Amino acid sequence: MAESIEVKVPDIGDYNDIPVIEIHVKAGDTVSVEQSLITLESDKASMDVPSPASGTVKELKVKLGDKVSMGSVIMIMDADASVSSSPKKEEPAPVSQPVVPAAPTPPPKPNPPQPIQSSAPVSPSDIGKAVSHASPSVRKFARELGVDVSKVKGSANKGRVTKEDVQKYVKSVMSGETSTGSSSGVGLDLLPWPKIDFTKFGEIERKPLSRIQKISAANLSRNWIVIPSVTYHEDADITDLENFRVQTNKQNEKSGVKITMLAFMVKASVAALKKFPEFNSSLDGDELVLKKYFHIGFAADTPNGLVVPVVKNADKKGVLELAEEISSLAKLAREGKLKPDQMQGASFTISSLGGIGGTAFSPIINAPEVAILGVSKAAIKPVWNGKEFIPRLICPLSLTADHRVIDGAVGTRFNVYLAELLSDFRRVVL
Ligand code: CAO
């Protein structure tokens, strides 16, 4: 004879007010002992509440999103009399562990369930949406990939989301076919990348990106999106420095070492980094990592794409030595022969387009650095000396800095100081 029993949430340890995220049965369903009835999910674990007996579900007392604690009645069921069971003996089963076979005799003292699934906090608004159509293991898989299951179209029976559906969804988002459609204001909420048949408009040719271009593209996109950067512009009067450079190069013609403006820029930048140490740092969570070393990266244009060789310990080298090292690293870069350690460890980067042209640009910070100096082409400009305009060689400096670390005033001070050093290089040794 059937006995009507109340099925209650068993001892679930310290958890209270846990949302019901899945209901696996409905009134009239026949259930067997230990069959999963509902799934609860706290911010630390998912737990299935198993049936304490075999029988028929008479009435559900909870709905998706309801919050329950130990002792909350979740349903009334007509339990088969043949099975001795009591609501007090229910024990929730952690979802990804095998269900323990039901014992007709009183089960051992229930242990509090062990949270076995770590999970990101689920906002109440997420609960009860399409999450009810994915199994706990699929939801766990989706969470690990940062996927909101409610956005995934289920292909299995009754629209249930499978692991393959989640994988397909991730692929389509990554390829730009699907927008994440997030409208919460959090996340990027980007439109899908336009898919255009260019042949409709004229002849085209497809050329695969080089390996370096692909790596740069991924890094540049992340840095552009993640870093709240500001570019500060300053003019440096390099008239005297250029005269000195030309003169020195003439004297050194026979030895073959040619100094370019970039070597002076490296030397002057090191002096400015020493004066403004936050520029020689990296953000690490809530901490700023201030580096006591001065490894300066410089952007080099190569046939295969942009690479950034690194001059290590630039503070310990003279301008001639820096010029030599820049030249040999640039040669290796163009030949595609740089070793990984020759491109690692930069604490600040310089991107010089001065040999090509330009009047200003906004370089993208090379994360996890916090600033990058862009150098454009120096040109003769009229400068007012208080009495008259005189021709001076002016070099545009464009310094991009991470605003999370460097405020506008400090950014401008760094640039002004750098320009002062370049206009009178004797200050570098002060
Ligand atoms: N203003 C005017 N002329 C400049 C200058 C400046 N700011 N900087 C360099 N020049 C001149 C040099 O003096 C040299 O002239 P001379 O032959 O008369 O001496 C000429 O331009 C060529 O210099 P260079 O390019 O050979 O040497 P460099 O040290 O300035 O640069 C390197 C070396 C590797 C940085 C450069 O070859 C390069 O690849 N630059 C491109 C960097 C780049 O792509 N940045 C963008 C990154 S973001 O996409």
Side-chain angles (χ1 to χ4, degrees), residues 245 258 260-262 298-301 306 326 330 334 351-356 361 375-378 395:
R245 188 186 77 87
K258 185 186 159 196
T260 64
M261 196 45 76
L262 186 55
F298 67 93
D301 181 32
L306 173 70
I326 290 169
R334 280 192 289 270
S351 174
S352 175
L353 291 171
I356 304 168
F361 68 107
V375 181
S376 298
K377 190 176 179 66
C395 182

Short mmCIF file of all heavy atoms in Angstrom, two decimals, residues 245 258 260-262 298-301 306 326 330 334 351-356 361 375-378 395, ligand 1:
data_model
loop_
_atom_site.label_atom_id
_atom_site.label_comp_id
_atom_site.label_asym_id
_atom_site.label_seq_id
_atom_site.Cartn_x
_atom_site.Cartn_y
_atom_site.Cartn_z
N ARG A 245 75.20 63.65 -32.82
CA ARG A 245 75.10 62.31 -33.42
C ARG A 245 75.83 62.26 -34.77
O ARG A 245 76.63 61.36 -35.02
CB ARG A 245 73.62 61.94 -33.59
CG ARG A 245 73.34 60.52 -34.03
CD ARG A 245 71.87 60.31 -34.32
NE ARG A 245 71.49 60.87 -35.62
CZ ARG A 245 71.59 60.23 -36.77
NH1 ARG A 245 72.04 59.00 -36.80
NH2 ARG A 245 71.25 60.82 -37.90
N LYS A 258 77.44 52.89 -36.07
CA LYS A 258 76.64 54.08 -36.36
C LYS A 258 75.59 54.27 -35.26
O LYS A 258 74.86 53.32 -34.93
CB LYS A 258 75.97 53.88 -37.72
CG LYS A 258 75.20 55.10 -38.17
CD LYS A 258 74.43 54.80 -39.45
CE LYS A 258 73.29 55.80 -39.61
NZ LYS A 258 72.31 55.36 -40.57
N THR A 260 72.14 55.70 -34.02
CA THR A 260 70.88 56.28 -34.52
C THR A 260 70.18 56.94 -33.33
O THR A 260 70.53 56.69 -32.17
CB THR A 260 69.93 55.22 -35.14
OG1 THR A 260 69.56 54.32 -34.11
CG2 THR A 260 70.58 54.48 -36.28
N MET A 261 69.18 57.74 -33.63
CA MET A 261 68.47 58.47 -32.58
C MET A 261 67.88 57.50 -31.55
O MET A 261 67.74 57.83 -30.37
CB MET A 261 67.38 59.31 -33.24
CG MET A 261 66.79 60.39 -32.39
SD MET A 261 67.97 61.38 -31.46
CE MET A 261 68.66 62.45 -32.71
N LEU A 262 67.55 56.30 -32.02
CA LEU A 262 66.92 55.33 -31.12
C LEU A 262 67.80 55.00 -29.90
O LEU A 262 67.31 54.84 -28.78
CB LEU A 262 66.58 54.06 -31.91
CG LEU A 262 65.78 52.99 -31.17
CD1 LEU A 262 64.48 53.55 -30.60
CD2 LEU A 262 65.49 51.81 -32.10
N PHE A 298 62.23 47.33 -28.28
CA PHE A 298 61.98 48.29 -29.37
C PHE A 298 61.29 47.56 -30.51
O PHE A 298 61.63 46.43 -30.84
CB PHE A 298 63.28 49.00 -29.81
CG PHE A 298 64.29 48.11 -30.48
CD1 PHE A 298 64.32 47.95 -31.86
CD2 PHE A 298 65.22 47.40 -29.73
CE1 PHE A 298 65.26 47.13 -32.47
CE2 PHE A 298 66.17 46.58 -30.33
CZ PHE A 298 66.19 46.44 -31.71
N ALA A 299 60.27 48.23 -31.06
CA ALA A 299 59.50 47.62 -32.15
C ALA A 299 60.35 47.59 -33.40
O ALA A 299 60.99 48.59 -33.75
CB ALA A 299 58.24 48.43 -32.38
N ALA A 300 60.39 46.45 -34.04
CA ALA A 300 61.15 46.34 -35.29
C ALA A 300 60.24 45.81 -36.39
O ALA A 300 59.53 44.82 -36.21
CB ALA A 300 62.35 45.41 -35.10
N ASP A 301 60.29 46.52 -37.50
CA ASP A 301 59.47 46.17 -38.65
C ASP A 301 60.22 45.11 -39.45
O ASP A 301 61.35 45.35 -39.86
CB ASP A 301 59.33 47.48 -39.45
CG ASP A 301 58.49 47.33 -40.68
OD1 ASP A 301 57.56 46.52 -40.64
OD2 ASP A 301 58.75 48.05 -41.67
N LEU A 306 55.62 42.57 -37.17
CA LEU A 306 56.22 43.35 -36.09
C LEU A 306 56.77 42.44 -34.98
O LEU A 306 56.09 41.56 -34.51
CB LEU A 306 55.10 44.24 -35.51
CG LEU A 306 55.39 45.05 -34.27
CD1 LEU A 306 56.36 46.17 -34.59
CD2 LEU A 306 54.11 45.61 -33.71
N ILE A 326 71.27 47.41 -30.67
CA ILE A 326 70.00 47.64 -31.39
C ILE A 326 70.16 47.19 -32.84
O ILE A 326 69.30 46.50 -33.40
CB ILE A 326 69.60 49.14 -31.33
CG1 ILE A 326 69.17 49.50 -29.91
CG2 ILE A 326 68.48 49.45 -32.32
CD1 ILE A 326 69.01 51.00 -29.66
N ALA A 330 68.13 44.20 -34.47
CA ALA A 330 67.23 44.54 -35.59
C ALA A 330 67.54 43.65 -36.80
O ALA A 330 66.63 43.19 -37.50
CB ALA A 330 67.37 46.01 -35.96
N ARG A 334 65.00 41.01 -38.57
CA ARG A 334 64.64 41.00 -40.00
C ARG A 334 64.91 39.63 -40.64
O ARG A 334 64.21 39.20 -41.53
CB ARG A 334 65.41 42.10 -40.74
CG ARG A 334 64.78 43.48 -40.54
CD ARG A 334 65.38 44.50 -41.50
NE ARG A 334 66.74 44.84 -41.14
CZ ARG A 334 67.07 45.84 -40.32
NH1 ARG A 334 66.12 46.60 -39.80
NH2 ARG A 334 68.33 46.10 -40.04
N SER A 351 58.67 52.51 -29.67
CA SER A 351 58.33 52.23 -31.06
C SER A 351 58.73 53.44 -31.88
O SER A 351 58.11 54.51 -31.75
CB SER A 351 56.82 51.97 -31.17
OG SER A 351 56.47 51.83 -32.52
N SER A 352 59.79 53.31 -32.66
CA SER A 352 60.29 54.46 -33.41
C SER A 352 59.94 54.36 -34.88
O SER A 352 60.37 53.45 -35.58
CB SER A 352 61.81 54.57 -33.25
OG SER A 352 62.27 55.62 -34.07
N LEU A 353 59.13 55.29 -35.33
CA LEU A 353 58.79 55.36 -36.76
C LEU A 353 59.51 56.53 -37.42
O LEU A 353 59.22 56.89 -38.56
CB LEU A 353 57.26 55.50 -36.92
CG LEU A 353 56.45 54.27 -36.52
CD1 LEU A 353 54.96 54.58 -36.51
CD2 LEU A 353 56.73 53.11 -37.48
N GLY A 354 60.43 57.12 -36.62
CA GLY A 354 61.13 58.33 -37.06
C GLY A 354 61.88 58.19 -38.36
O GLY A 354 62.00 59.15 -39.13
N GLY A 355 62.38 56.97 -38.62
CA GLY A 355 63.11 56.75 -39.88
C GLY A 355 62.17 56.77 -41.07
O GLY A 355 62.61 56.89 -42.22
N ILE A 356 60.88 56.66 -40.82
CA ILE A 356 59.91 56.56 -41.91
C ILE A 356 59.14 57.88 -42.10
O ILE A 356 59.02 58.40 -43.21
CB ILE A 356 58.90 55.41 -41.64
CG1 ILE A 356 59.67 54.09 -41.44
CG2 ILE A 356 57.90 55.28 -42.78
CD1 ILE A 356 58.83 52.95 -40.88
N PHE A 361 51.53 59.51 -33.30
CA PHE A 361 50.69 58.30 -33.37
C PHE A 361 50.42 57.80 -31.97
O PHE A 361 51.00 58.30 -31.00
CB PHE A 361 51.31 57.22 -34.27
CG PHE A 361 52.59 56.58 -33.74
CD1 PHE A 361 52.59 55.28 -33.25
CD2 PHE A 361 53.79 57.27 -33.76
CE1 PHE A 361 53.76 54.68 -32.79
CE2 PHE A 361 54.98 56.68 -33.30
CZ PHE A 361 54.95 55.39 -32.81
N VAL A 375 57.95 57.34 -31.25
CA VAL A 375 58.79 58.43 -31.75
C VAL A 375 58.48 58.63 -33.23
O VAL A 375 58.51 57.68 -34.01
CB VAL A 375 60.30 58.09 -31.56
CG1 VAL A 375 61.17 59.23 -32.06
CG2 VAL A 375 60.60 57.77 -30.10
N SER A 376 58.17 59.86 -33.61
CA SER A 376 57.90 60.16 -35.02
C SER A 376 59.08 60.93 -35.62
O SER A 376 60.08 61.18 -34.94
CB SER A 376 56.59 60.96 -35.16
OG SER A 376 55.51 60.19 -34.68
N LYS A 377 58.93 61.33 -36.87
CA LYS A 377 60.08 61.91 -37.60
C LYS A 377 60.36 63.35 -37.16
O LYS A 377 59.47 64.20 -37.13
CB LYS A 377 59.76 61.89 -39.10
CG LYS A 377 60.95 62.24 -39.96
CD LYS A 377 60.59 62.11 -41.44
CE LYS A 377 61.75 62.46 -42.33
NZ LYS A 377 62.90 61.55 -42.24
N ALA A 378 61.61 63.57 -36.83
CA ALA A 378 62.01 64.93 -36.44
C ALA A 378 62.01 65.83 -37.69
O ALA A 378 62.35 65.38 -38.79
CB ALA A 378 63.40 64.89 -35.81
N CYS A 395 61.50 66.79 -32.50
CA CYS A 395 61.11 65.38 -32.62
C CYS A 395 59.83 65.13 -31.81
O CYS A 395 59.79 65.37 -30.60
CB CYS A 395 62.24 64.49 -32.09
SG CYS A 395 61.88 62.74 -32.26
N1 CAO B 1 63.50 61.58 -36.87
C1 CAO B 1 64.15 61.74 -38.03
N2 CAO B 1 64.94 60.80 -38.55
C2 CAO B 1 65.11 59.67 -37.87
C3 CAO B 1 64.48 59.44 -36.67
C4 CAO B 1 63.65 60.45 -36.16
N3 CAO B 1 62.98 60.33 -35.03
N4 CAO B 1 64.80 58.21 -36.24
C5 CAO B 1 65.61 57.69 -37.14
N5 CAO B 1 65.80 58.57 -38.12
C6 CAO B 1 66.65 58.42 -39.29
C7 CAO B 1 67.98 57.85 -38.89
O1 CAO B 1 68.81 58.82 -38.39
C8 CAO B 1 68.45 57.25 -40.17
O2 CAO B 1 68.96 58.28 -40.98
P1 CAO B 1 70.53 58.31 -41.41
O3 CAO B 1 70.72 57.05 -42.19
O4 CAO B 1 70.64 59.53 -42.19
O5 CAO B 1 71.31 58.31 -40.15
C9 CAO B 1 67.16 56.77 -40.82
O6 CAO B 1 66.12 57.48 -40.17
C10 CAO B 1 66.91 55.28 -40.66
O7 CAO B 1 67.02 54.91 -39.32
P2 CAO B 1 66.81 53.36 -38.97
O8 CAO B 1 65.39 53.03 -39.11
O9 CAO B 1 67.78 52.57 -39.77
O10 CAO B 1 67.30 53.25 -37.48
P3 CAO B 1 66.51 53.42 -36.18
O11 CAO B 1 67.47 53.15 -35.10
O12 CAO B 1 65.82 54.71 -36.13
O13 CAO B 1 65.40 52.28 -36.17
C11 CAO B 1 64.42 50.16 -36.10
C12 CAO B 1 65.72 50.93 -36.07
C13 CAO B 1 64.66 48.68 -35.99
C14 CAO B 1 63.56 50.63 -34.96
C15 CAO B 1 63.71 50.49 -37.42
O14 CAO B 1 64.44 49.93 -38.48
C16 CAO B 1 62.31 49.99 -37.48
O15 CAO B 1 62.03 48.81 -37.70
N6 CAO B 1 61.34 50.90 -37.29
C17 CAO B 1 59.94 50.60 -37.37
C18 CAO B 1 59.36 50.36 -36.00
C19 CAO B 1 57.89 50.10 -36.11
O16 CAO B 1 57.41 49.45 -37.02
N7 CAO B 1 57.11 50.67 -35.20
C20 CAO B 1 55.72 50.62 -35.24
C21 CAO B 1 55.22 49.60 -34.31
S1 CAO B 1 53.50 49.61 -34.24
O17 CAO B 1 53.07 49.02 -35.65
#
